[in-house]
Amino acid sequence: GDGVVEALALNAAVALALLLLSLLLGMAGYAYFENLSWRDAFLNSAMLMGGMGPVDAPHTDGGKVFAGLYALYAGLFF
C-alpha cells in the first residue's frame, strides 16, 4: 500500500543524503589536507567510496591521517 511506497521513498532519500554527505566530507578533507582541486577531491573520494582506492597518494601528514580514516569509514559504511 501507500505506507510501503512512502517507507521505500524515505529510505532512498536517507541513503542518497548519506551518500552525498559522505562524498562532500571526503571532498572537503582532500581539498583541505591535500590542497586538491574539487575535481581531484571528487575523484579520490568517489574512488574510495566505491572500493577502488585513492587515485592520488596523500603527501601531508594530515592528508595521510584523513585518507586513512576516510578509507576506514567508506569501507565500513559502504
PDB file of all heavy atoms in Angstrom, residues 22-52:
ATOM      1  N   SER A  22      28.627  12.037   2.637  1.00  0.00           N
ATOM      2  CA  SER A  22      29.908  11.339   2.717  1.00  0.00           C
ATOM      3  C   SER A  22      30.846  11.787   1.601  1.00  0.00           C
ATOM      4  O   SER A  22      32.051  11.974   1.822  1.00  0.00           O
ATOM      5  CB  SER A  22      29.693   9.827   2.627  1.00  0.00           C
ATOM      6  OG  SER A  22      28.929   9.374   3.726  1.00  0.00           O
ATOM      7  N   LEU A  23      30.305  11.967   0.413  1.00  0.00           N
ATOM      8  CA  LEU A  23      31.116  12.426  -0.708  1.00  0.00           C
ATOM      9  C   LEU A  23      31.628  13.839  -0.455  1.00  0.00           C
ATOM     10  O   LEU A  23      32.811  14.127  -0.666  1.00  0.00           O
ATOM     11  CB  LEU A  23      30.294  12.375  -1.993  1.00  0.00           C
ATOM     12  CG  LEU A  23      31.027  12.677  -3.292  1.00  0.00           C
ATOM     13  CD1 LEU A  23      32.162  11.693  -3.525  1.00  0.00           C
ATOM     14  CD2 LEU A  23      30.047  12.642  -4.450  1.00  0.00           C
ATOM     15  N   LEU A  24      30.758  14.713   0.042  1.00  0.00           N
ATOM     16  CA  LEU A  24      31.170  16.089   0.342  1.00  0.00           C
ATOM     17  C   LEU A  24      32.205  16.134   1.458  1.00  0.00           C
ATOM     18  O   LEU A  24      33.144  16.929   1.405  1.00  0.00           O
ATOM     19  CB  LEU A  24      29.956  16.946   0.692  1.00  0.00           C
ATOM     20  CG  LEU A  24      29.027  17.271  -0.474  1.00  0.00           C
ATOM     21  CD1 LEU A  24      27.776  17.988   0.027  1.00  0.00           C
ATOM     22  CD2 LEU A  24      29.743  18.110  -1.518  1.00  0.00           C
ATOM     23  N   LEU A  25      32.046  15.282   2.462  1.00  0.00           N
ATOM     24  CA  LEU A  25      33.024  15.203   3.554  1.00  0.00           C
ATOM     25  C   LEU A  25      34.390  14.793   3.009  1.00  0.00           C
ATOM     26  O   LEU A  25      35.412  15.393   3.347  1.00  0.00           O
ATOM     27  CB  LEU A  25      32.554  14.203   4.614  1.00  0.00           C
ATOM     28  CG  LEU A  25      33.527  13.910   5.746  1.00  0.00           C
ATOM     29  CD1 LEU A  25      33.648  15.119   6.661  1.00  0.00           C
ATOM     30  CD2 LEU A  25      33.083  12.690   6.532  1.00  0.00           C
ATOM     31  N   GLY A  26      34.406  13.790   2.156  1.00  0.00           N
ATOM     32  CA  GLY A  26      35.669  13.349   1.561  1.00  0.00           C
ATOM     33  C   GLY A  26      36.291  14.427   0.697  1.00  0.00           C
ATOM     34  O   GLY A  26      37.504  14.662   0.748  1.00  0.00           O
ATOM     35  N   MET A  27      35.472  15.091  -0.100  1.00  0.00           N
ATOM     36  CA  MET A  27      35.982  16.159  -0.960  1.00  0.00           C
ATOM     37  C   MET A  27      36.567  17.295  -0.127  1.00  0.00           C
ATOM     38  O   MET A  27      37.641  17.813  -0.442  1.00  0.00           O
ATOM     39  CB  MET A  27      34.862  16.687  -1.858  1.00  0.00           C
ATOM     40  CG  MET A  27      34.449  15.705  -2.933  1.00  0.00           C
ATOM     41  SD  MET A  27      33.004  16.265  -3.861  1.00  0.00           S
ATOM     42  CE  MET A  27      33.682  17.712  -4.687  1.00  0.00           C
ATOM     43  N   ALA A  28      35.882  17.666   0.944  1.00  0.00           N
ATOM     44  CA  ALA A  28      36.369  18.747   1.806  1.00  0.00           C
ATOM     45  C   ALA A  28      37.696  18.361   2.447  1.00  0.00           C
ATOM     46  O   ALA A  28      38.620  19.172   2.524  1.00  0.00           O
ATOM     47  CB  ALA A  28      35.330  19.080   2.874  1.00  0.00           C
ATOM     48  N   GLY A  29      37.810  17.123   2.910  1.00  0.00           N
ATOM     49  CA  GLY A  29      39.049  16.662   3.533  1.00  0.00           C
ATOM     50  C   GLY A  29      40.215  16.651   2.563  1.00  0.00           C
ATOM     51  O   GLY A  29      41.310  17.115   2.888  1.00  0.00           O
ATOM     52  N   TYR A  30      39.992  16.132   1.370  1.00  0.00           N
ATOM     53  CA  TYR A  30      41.063  16.113   0.368  1.00  0.00           C
ATOM     54  C   TYR A  30      41.446  17.526  -0.062  1.00  0.00           C
ATOM     55  O   TYR A  30      42.622  17.818  -0.271  1.00  0.00           O
ATOM     56  CB  TYR A  30      40.666  15.277  -0.850  1.00  0.00           C
ATOM     57  CG  TYR A  30      40.955  13.810  -0.677  1.00  0.00           C
ATOM     58  CD1 TYR A  30      39.925  12.883  -0.564  1.00  0.00           C
ATOM     59  CD2 TYR A  30      42.259  13.341  -0.637  1.00  0.00           C
ATOM     60  CE1 TYR A  30      40.187  11.535  -0.410  1.00  0.00           C
ATOM     61  CE2 TYR A  30      42.538  11.990  -0.483  1.00  0.00           C
ATOM     62  CZ  TYR A  30      41.498  11.096  -0.362  1.00  0.00           C
ATOM     63  OH  TYR A  30      41.772   9.762  -0.205  1.00  0.00           O
ATOM     64  N   ALA A  31      40.465  18.399  -0.204  1.00  0.00           N
ATOM     65  CA  ALA A  31      40.758  19.780  -0.600  1.00  0.00           C
ATOM     66  C   ALA A  31      41.540  20.489   0.502  1.00  0.00           C
ATOM     67  O   ALA A  31      42.504  21.204   0.225  1.00  0.00           O
ATOM     68  CB  ALA A  31      39.462  20.526  -0.901  1.00  0.00           C
ATOM     69  N   TYR A  32      41.148  20.269   1.755  1.00  0.00           N
ATOM     70  CA  TYR A  32      41.798  20.958   2.880  1.00  0.00           C
ATOM     71  C   TYR A  32      43.195  20.406   3.149  1.00  0.00           C
ATOM     72  O   TYR A  32      44.162  21.160   3.217  1.00  0.00           O
ATOM     73  CB  TYR A  32      40.932  20.845   4.137  1.00  0.00           C
ATOM     74  CG  TYR A  32      41.555  21.481   5.350  1.00  0.00           C
ATOM     75  CD1 TYR A  32      41.516  22.860   5.521  1.00  0.00           C
ATOM     76  CD2 TYR A  32      42.192  20.713   6.314  1.00  0.00           C
ATOM     77  CE1 TYR A  32      42.098  23.466   6.621  1.00  0.00           C
ATOM     78  CE2 TYR A  32      42.778  21.299   7.425  1.00  0.00           C
ATOM     79  CZ  TYR A  32      42.732  22.674   7.581  1.00  0.00           C
ATOM     80  OH  TYR A  32      43.317  23.270   8.665  1.00  0.00           O
ATOM     81  N   PHE A  33      43.305  19.091   3.324  1.00  0.00           N
ATOM     82  CA  PHE A  33      44.573  18.499   3.749  1.00  0.00           C
ATOM     83  C   PHE A  33      45.578  18.343   2.607  1.00  0.00           C
ATOM     84  O   PHE A  33      46.784  18.450   2.819  1.00  0.00           O
ATOM     85  CB  PHE A  33      44.350  17.136   4.407  1.00  0.00           C
ATOM     86  CG  PHE A  33      43.715  17.225   5.765  1.00  0.00           C
ATOM     87  CD1 PHE A  33      42.407  16.820   5.958  1.00  0.00           C
ATOM     88  CD2 PHE A  33      44.422  17.714   6.845  1.00  0.00           C
ATOM     89  CE1 PHE A  33      41.814  16.900   7.211  1.00  0.00           C
ATOM     90  CE2 PHE A  33      43.842  17.801   8.101  1.00  0.00           C
ATOM     91  CZ  PHE A  33      42.535  17.391   8.277  1.00  0.00           C
ATOM     92  N   GLU A  34      45.090  18.073   1.400  1.00  0.00           N
ATOM     93  CA  GLU A  34      45.991  17.809   0.282  1.00  0.00           C
ATOM     94  C   GLU A  34      45.957  18.909  -0.778  1.00  0.00           C
ATOM     95  O   GLU A  34      46.627  18.794  -1.798  1.00  0.00           O
ATOM     96  CB  GLU A  34      45.649  16.460  -0.355  1.00  0.00           C
ATOM     97  CG  GLU A  34      46.048  15.284   0.498  1.00  0.00           C
ATOM     98  CD  GLU A  34      47.547  15.192   0.715  1.00  0.00           C
ATOM     99  OE1 GLU A  34      48.312  15.229  -0.260  1.00  0.00           O
ATOM    100  OE2 GLU A  34      47.964  15.090   1.886  1.00  0.00           O
ATOM    101  N   ASN A  35      45.163  19.924  -0.545  1.00  0.00           N
ATOM    102  CA  ASN A  35      45.068  21.061  -1.466  1.00  0.00           C
ATOM    103  C   ASN A  35      44.709  20.612  -2.886  1.00  0.00           C
ATOM    104  O   ASN A  35      45.238  21.131  -3.865  1.00  0.00           O
ATOM    105  CB  ASN A  35      46.370  21.874  -1.465  1.00  0.00           C
ATOM    106  CG  ASN A  35      46.172  23.270  -2.008  1.00  0.00           C
ATOM    107  OD1 ASN A  35      45.091  23.836  -1.898  1.00  0.00           O
ATOM    108  ND2 ASN A  35      47.208  23.828  -2.606  1.00  0.00           N
ATOM    109  N   LEU A  36      43.815  19.629  -2.994  1.00  0.00           N
ATOM    110  CA  LEU A  36      43.387  19.144  -4.294  1.00  0.00           C
ATOM    111  C   LEU A  36      42.250  20.011  -4.824  1.00  0.00           C
ATOM    112  O   LEU A  36      41.466  20.558  -4.049  1.00  0.00           O
ATOM    113  CB  LEU A  36      42.898  17.694  -4.208  1.00  0.00           C
ATOM    114  CG  LEU A  36      43.926  16.626  -3.856  1.00  0.00           C
ATOM    115  CD1 LEU A  36      43.273  15.249  -3.825  1.00  0.00           C
ATOM    116  CD2 LEU A  36      45.089  16.641  -4.819  1.00  0.00           C
ATOM    117  N   SER A  37      42.156  20.126  -6.142  1.00  0.00           N
ATOM    118  CA  SER A  37      41.024  20.821  -6.760  1.00  0.00           C
ATOM    119  C   SER A  37      39.752  20.032  -6.450  1.00  0.00           C
ATOM    120  O   SER A  37      39.812  18.850  -6.095  1.00  0.00           O
ATOM    121  CB  SER A  37      41.224  20.913  -8.271  1.00  0.00           C
ATOM    122  OG  SER A  37      41.071  19.624  -8.864  1.00  0.00           O
ATOM    123  N   TRP A  38      38.603  20.667  -6.618  1.00  0.00           N
ATOM    124  CA  TRP A  38      37.356  19.966  -6.298  1.00  0.00           C
ATOM    125  C   TRP A  38      37.177  18.752  -7.205  1.00  0.00           C
ATOM    126  O   TRP A  38      36.609  17.753  -6.793  1.00  0.00           O
ATOM    127  CB  TRP A  38      36.160  20.905  -6.323  1.00  0.00           C
ATOM    128  CG  TRP A  38      35.731  21.381  -7.694  1.00  0.00           C
ATOM    129  CD1 TRP A  38      36.104  22.532  -8.319  1.00  0.00           C
ATOM    130  CD2 TRP A  38      34.834  20.706  -8.588  1.00  0.00           C
ATOM    131  NE1 TRP A  38      35.504  22.606  -9.550  1.00  0.00           N
ATOM    132  CE2 TRP A  38      34.718  21.506  -9.753  1.00  0.00           C
ATOM    133  CE3 TRP A  38      34.123  19.506  -8.519  1.00  0.00           C
ATOM    134  CZ2 TRP A  38      33.914  21.142 -10.821  1.00  0.00           C
ATOM    135  CZ3 TRP A  38      33.330  19.154  -9.603  1.00  0.00           C
ATOM    136  CH2 TRP A  38      33.245  19.971 -10.738  1.00  0.00           C
ATOM    137  N   ARG A  39      37.678  18.810  -8.417  1.00  0.00           N
ATOM    138  CA  ARG A  39      37.554  17.667  -9.324  1.00  0.00           C
ATOM    139  C   ARG A  39      38.409  16.492  -8.853  1.00  0.00           C
ATOM    140  O   ARG A  39      37.954  15.341  -8.844  1.00  0.00           O
ATOM    141  CB  ARG A  39      37.963  18.070 -10.740  1.00  0.00           C
ATOM    142  CG  ARG A  39      37.003  19.038 -11.394  1.00  0.00           C
ATOM    143  CD  ARG A  39      37.613  19.612 -12.668  1.00  0.00           C
ATOM    144  NE  ARG A  39      36.973  20.830 -13.079  1.00  0.00           N
ATOM    145  CZ  ARG A  39      37.290  22.056 -12.629  1.00  0.00           C
ATOM    146  NH1 ARG A  39      38.227  22.212 -11.718  1.00  0.00           N
ATOM    147  NH2 ARG A  39      36.654  23.117 -13.077  1.00  0.00           N
ATOM    148  N   ASP A  40      39.644  16.779  -8.458  1.00  0.00           N
ATOM    149  CA  ASP A  40      40.517  15.720  -7.950  1.00  0.00           C
ATOM    150  C   ASP A  40      40.024  15.189  -6.605  1.00  0.00           C
ATOM    151  O   ASP A  40      40.109  13.990  -6.335  1.00  0.00           O
ATOM    152  CB  ASP A  40      41.955  16.221  -7.826  1.00  0.00           C
ATOM    153  CG  ASP A  40      42.621  16.432  -9.184  1.00  0.00           C
ATOM    154  OD1 ASP A  40      42.237  15.742 -10.151  1.00  0.00           O
ATOM    155  OD2 ASP A  40      43.519  17.285  -9.270  1.00  0.00           O
ATOM    156  N   ALA A  41      39.516  16.095  -5.773  1.00  0.00           N
ATOM    157  CA  ALA A  41      38.960  15.670  -4.482  1.00  0.00           C
ATOM    158  C   ALA A  41      37.741  14.774  -4.703  1.00  0.00           C
ATOM    159  O   ALA A  41      37.570  13.761  -4.015  1.00  0.00           O
ATOM    160  CB  ALA A  41      38.597  16.894  -3.647  1.00  0.00           C
ATOM    161  N   PHE A  42      36.895  15.135  -5.670  1.00  0.00           N
ATOM    162  CA  PHE A  42      35.732  14.300  -6.008  1.00  0.00           C
ATOM    163  C   PHE A  42      36.180  12.927  -6.477  1.00  0.00           C
ATOM    164  O   PHE A  42      35.663  11.899  -6.021  1.00  0.00           O
ATOM    165  CB  PHE A  42      34.888  14.983  -7.086  1.00  0.00           C
ATOM    166  CG  PHE A  42      33.875  14.065  -7.702  1.00  0.00           C
ATOM    167  CD1 PHE A  42      32.702  13.752  -7.033  1.00  0.00           C
ATOM    168  CD2 PHE A  42      34.106  13.494  -8.943  1.00  0.00           C
ATOM    169  CE1 PHE A  42      31.777  12.885  -7.590  1.00  0.00           C
ATOM    170  CE2 PHE A  42      33.187  12.628  -9.509  1.00  0.00           C
ATOM    171  CZ  PHE A  42      32.018  12.321  -8.837  1.00  0.00           C
ATOM    172  N   LEU A  43      37.152  12.892  -7.373  1.00  0.00           N
ATOM    173  CA  LEU A  43      37.628  11.620  -7.915  1.00  0.00           C
ATOM    174  C   LEU A  43      38.172  10.717  -6.813  1.00  0.00           C
ATOM    175  O   LEU A  43      37.813   9.541  -6.729  1.00  0.00           O
ATOM    176  CB  LEU A  43      38.706  11.869  -8.974  1.00  0.00           C
ATOM    177  CG  LEU A  43      39.340  10.628  -9.602  1.00  0.00           C
ATOM    178  CD1 LEU A  43      38.287   9.779 -10.311  1.00  0.00           C
ATOM    179  CD2 LEU A  43      40.434  11.039 -10.564  1.00  0.00           C
ATOM    180  N   ASN A  44      39.011  11.250  -5.944  1.00  0.00           N
ATOM    181  CA  ASN A  44      39.581  10.442  -4.857  1.00  0.00           C
ATOM    182  C   ASN A  44      38.504   9.958  -3.902  1.00  0.00           C
ATOM    183  O   ASN A  44      38.507   8.795  -3.498  1.00  0.00           O
ATOM    184  CB  ASN A  44      40.646  11.252  -4.116  1.00  0.00           C
ATOM    185  CG  ASN A  44      41.968  11.259  -4.846  1.00  0.00           C
ATOM    186  OD1 ASN A  44      42.738  10.325  -4.723  1.00  0.00           O
ATOM    187  ND2 ASN A  44      42.223  12.293  -5.629  1.00  0.00           N
ATOM    188  N   SER A  45      37.584  10.835  -3.539  1.00  0.00           N
ATOM    189  CA  SER A  45      36.516  10.454  -2.617  1.00  0.00           C
ATOM    190  C   SER A  45      35.610   9.391  -3.230  1.00  0.00           C
ATOM    191  O   SER A  45      35.271   8.399  -2.581  1.00  0.00           O
ATOM    192  CB  SER A  45      35.679  11.675  -2.235  1.00  0.00           C
ATOM    193  OG  SER A  45      36.475  12.627  -1.581  1.00  0.00           O
ATOM    194  N   ALA A  46      35.229   9.596  -4.480  1.00  0.00           N
ATOM    195  CA  ALA A  46      34.348   8.638  -5.148  1.00  0.00           C
ATOM    196  C   ALA A  46      35.026   7.282  -5.312  1.00  0.00           C
ATOM    197  O   ALA A  46      34.391   6.234  -5.117  1.00  0.00           O
ATOM    198  CB  ALA A  46      33.917   9.196  -6.506  1.00  0.00           C
ATOM    199  N   MET A  47      36.298   7.280  -5.647  1.00  0.00           N
ATOM    200  CA  MET A  47      37.014   6.012  -5.815  1.00  0.00           C
ATOM    201  C   MET A  47      37.131   5.263  -4.490  1.00  0.00           C
ATOM    202  O   MET A  47      36.988   4.043  -4.450  1.00  0.00           O
ATOM    203  CB  MET A  47      38.396   6.260  -6.418  1.00  0.00           C
ATOM    204  CG  MET A  47      38.351   6.776  -7.845  1.00  0.00           C
ATOM    205  SD  MET A  47      37.705   5.571  -9.018  1.00  0.00           S
ATOM    206  CE  MET A  47      39.191   4.639  -9.307  1.00  0.00           C
ATOM    207  N   LEU A  48      37.373   5.999  -3.399  1.00  0.00           N
ATOM    208  CA  LEU A  48      37.436   5.346  -2.088  1.00  0.00           C
ATOM    209  C   LEU A  48      36.073   4.807  -1.688  1.00  0.00           C
ATOM    210  O   LEU A  48      35.959   3.686  -1.184  1.00  0.00           O
ATOM    211  CB  LEU A  48      37.935   6.327  -1.033  1.00  0.00           C
ATOM    212  CG  LEU A  48      39.428   6.304  -0.758  1.00  0.00           C
ATOM    213  CD1 LEU A  48      39.818   7.401   0.203  1.00  0.00           C
ATOM    214  CD2 LEU A  48      39.872   4.965  -0.234  1.00  0.00           C
ATOM    215  N   MET A  49      35.033   5.587  -1.912  1.00  0.00           N
ATOM    216  CA  MET A  49      33.688   5.137  -1.550  1.00  0.00           C
ATOM    217  C   MET A  49      33.270   3.936  -2.380  1.00  0.00           C
ATOM    218  O   MET A  49      32.527   3.077  -1.905  1.00  0.00           O
ATOM    219  CB  MET A  49      32.678   6.276  -1.712  1.00  0.00           C
ATOM    220  CG  MET A  49      32.800   7.326  -0.637  1.00  0.00           C
ATOM    221  SD  MET A  49      31.716   8.747  -0.903  1.00  0.00           S
ATOM    222  CE  MET A  49      30.118   7.974  -0.932  1.00  0.00           C
ATOM    223  N   GLY A  50      33.751   3.874  -3.616  1.00  0.00           N
ATOM    224  CA  GLY A  50      33.425   2.751  -4.489  1.00  0.00           C
ATOM    225  C   GLY A  50      34.291   1.528  -4.273  1.00  0.00           C
ATOM    226  O   GLY A  50      34.097   0.508  -4.921  1.00  0.00           O
ATOM    227  N   GLY A  51      35.261   1.627  -3.371  1.00  0.00           N
ATOM    228  CA  GLY A  51      36.097   0.482  -3.050  1.00  0.00           C
ATOM    229  C   GLY A  51      37.313   0.316  -3.935  1.00  0.00           C
ATOM    230  O   GLY A  51      38.025  -0.683  -3.840  1.00  0.00           O
ATOM    231  N   MET A  52      37.584   1.284  -4.798  1.00  0.00           N
ATOM    232  CA  MET A  52      38.710   1.178  -5.723  1.00  0.00           C
ATOM    233  C   MET A  52      40.013   1.703  -5.132  1.00  0.00           C
ATOM    234  O   MET A  52      41.083   1.372  -5.606  1.00  0.00           O
ATOM    235  CB  MET A  52      38.407   1.935  -7.022  1.00  0.00           C
ATOM    236  CG  MET A  52      37.196   1.412  -7.763  1.00  0.00           C
ATOM    237  SD  MET A  52      37.404  -0.290  -8.333  1.00  0.00           S
ATOM    238  CE  MET A  52      38.660  -0.039  -9.571  1.00  0.00           C
TER     239      MET A  52
END
